[in-house]
């Protein structure tokens, strides 16, 4: 390994170690307060730092708490959106006649497909997305 590559790797590891040491407790506390669950907060904080580790140049982070907050908010919103989609799917499923109840695997695949469609629709502006989001009332 070239000396500059080693120095760069060492610097990256030092930055990540420092970032985690200086801000993990703070982030975990914020997540715990926001989520109300120590376990969910720990999982979410771990995911936030996993995303930071995946950044190409963590040495360039100037406002670490702002970045950590932004990543954490995005993960929370994604989690809540997934929960809401899953709840809506299960409610719609409960309204169907009980001819055939899908297996847990089929349910998981359906929820994943709904999340993919939701992500695609989120990428559209409101006008083209409107026909896909129209709610049909059965009443």
């Amino acid at each position: 390994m070239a000396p500059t590559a080693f120095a760069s790797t060492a610097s990256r590891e030092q930055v990540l170690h420092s970032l985690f040491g200086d801000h993990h407790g703070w982030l975990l506390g914020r997540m715990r307060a926001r989520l109300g669950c120590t376990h969910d907060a720990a999982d979410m904080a771990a995911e936030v730092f996993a995303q930071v580790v995946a950044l190409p140049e963590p040495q360039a982070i100037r406002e670490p708490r702002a970045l950590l907050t932004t990543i954490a908010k995005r993960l929370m919103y994604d989690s809540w959106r997934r929960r809401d989609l899953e709840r809506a799917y299960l409610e719609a499923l409960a309204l169907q006649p009980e001819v055939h109840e899908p297996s847990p695997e089929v349910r998981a695949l359906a929820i994943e497909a709904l999340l993919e469609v939701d992500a695609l629709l989120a990428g559209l502006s409101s006008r083209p997305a409107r026909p896909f989001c129209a709610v049909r009332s059965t009443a």
Side-chain angles (χ1 to χ4, degrees):
M1 183 180 291
T4 55
F6 178 75
S8 175
T9 302
S11 174
R12 176 183 172 77
E13 289 175 7
Q14 289 171 341
V15 166
L16 291 170
H17 183 59
S18 176
L19 187 69
F20 184 84
D22 293 346
H23 303 288
H24 181 263
W26 168 83
L27 179 64
L28 186 59
R30 286 183 56 107
M31 300 302 296
R32 192 178 309 122
R34 189 78 165 120
L35 298 172
C37 174
T38 302
H39 302 293
D40 289 345
D43 288 346
M44 192 84 54
E47 180 60 28
V48 168
F49 279 100
Q51 289 190 17
V52 170
V53 169
L55 292 174
E57 294 185 38
Q59 303 90 322
I61 299 171
R62 297 291 170 243
E63 297 290 335
R65 289 190 175 184
L67 175 67
L68 296 173
T69 299
T70 299
I71 294 171
K73 283 181 179 179
R74 190 180 72 240
L75 289 172
M76 279 191 305
Y77 295 146
D78 288 347
S79 172
W80 293 336
R81 187 177 202 115
R82 179 184 177 89
R83 182 199 61 213
D84 291 347
L85 275 171
E86 186 172 354
R87 184 181 313 125
Y89 168 72
L90 293 174
E91 287 172 1
L93 195 60
L95 294 174
Q96 299 300 312
E98 294 192 34
V99 175
H100 172 72
E101 176 134 352
S103 69
E105 294 83 12
V106 169
R107 284 184 181 192
L109 288 171
I111 290 168
E112 289 301 317
L114 287 169
L115 288 168
E116 288 179 29
V117 169
D118 182 58
L120 290 170
L121 290 174
L124 296 176
S125 63
S126 63
R127 187 171 181 182
R130 195 173 304 130
F132 296 102
C133 297
V135 177
R136 193 178 99 194
S137 174
T138 57

